[in-house]
Amino acid sequence: MSFNNLDTLYRQVIMDHYKNPRNKGVIEGDVLTVDMNNPTCGDRIQLQLQVEDGIVQEAKFDGEGCSISMASASMMTQAVKGKKIDEALEMSELFSKMMLGEDVDMDKLSLEDIEALQGVAKFPARIKCATLAWKAMEKGVNEE
């Protein structure tokens, strides 16, 4: 697949998550809730995680922001559900490295749709948008 075709595919994946967000909503009951915002662009997110026995059972988000931040939140909530907290944090670390343009072993952890966001690394002003939901997840599980 040529670079242009791959770039187009990644844009389609991002826009699909933005227009049809997965796991958007509220979890009822006693859950971890983290509110975060990006003061530079106004993105804001409320992330809720239901963690039982060290495993993320449910993850939902609500908020508003650009296509990158909302698509990233959608992808992140899909990726961490069913994962052990350590695995979720490792995915977050890998994602952050990818956003900073560092070489990452993509085979080490399957990022699935998240890989579509790797082009954001070319736009430093958008990296905070892409990592907002991930930082919220890190904050939530580290405070538990």
Side-chain angles (χ1 to χ4, degrees), residues 10 48 97 101:
Y10 284 168
Q48 292 186 307
K97 286 181 178 179

Side-chain angles (χ1 to χ4, degrees), residues 55-66:
I55 297 174
V56 179
Q57 300 292 330
E58 185 64 77
K60 288 193 179 272
F61 76 99
D62 200 5
E64 57 189 36
C66 66

Side-chain angles (χ1 to χ4, degrees), residues 8-19:
T8 299
L9 175 64
Y10 284 168
R11 285 178 195 215
Q12 289 173 346
V13 170
I14 290 168
M15 291 311 292
D16 181 51
H17 275 272
Y18 176 63
K19 291 179 179 176

Side-chain angles (χ1 to χ4, degrees), residues 53-141:
D53 300 324
I55 297 174
V56 179
Q57 300 292 330
E58 185 64 77
K60 288 193 179 272
F61 76 99
D62 200 5
E64 57 189 36
C66 66
S67 58
I68 298 295
S69 68
M70 294 296 105
S72 183
S74 174
M75 294 174 188
M76 186 278 293
T77 54
Q78 275 196 304
V80 300
K81 284 202 293 190
K83 297 282 191 289
K84 294 178 184 175
I85 288 175
D86 290 349
E87 292 172 321
L89 290 172
E90 188 175 0
M91 290 179 79
S92 184
E93 182 181 345
L94 182 63
F95 181 74
S96 291
K97 286 181 178 179
M98 184 175 77
M99 288 297 101
L100 294 173
E102 296 179 21
D103 287 332
V104 294
D105 183 358
M106 300 305 275
D107 295 330
K108 186 175 179 185
L109 293 171
S110 174
L111 293 177
E112 300 174 6
D113 285 352
I114 298 166
E115 195 172 333
L117 291 167
Q118 66 184 347
V120 173
K122 298 175 195 167
F123 306 97
R126 306 301 301 271
I127 292 173
K128 283 187 177 180
C129 302
T131 58
L132 182 65
W134 294 88
K135 297 302 178 193
M137 185 270 294
E138 288 177 13
K139 182 178 178 184
V141 298

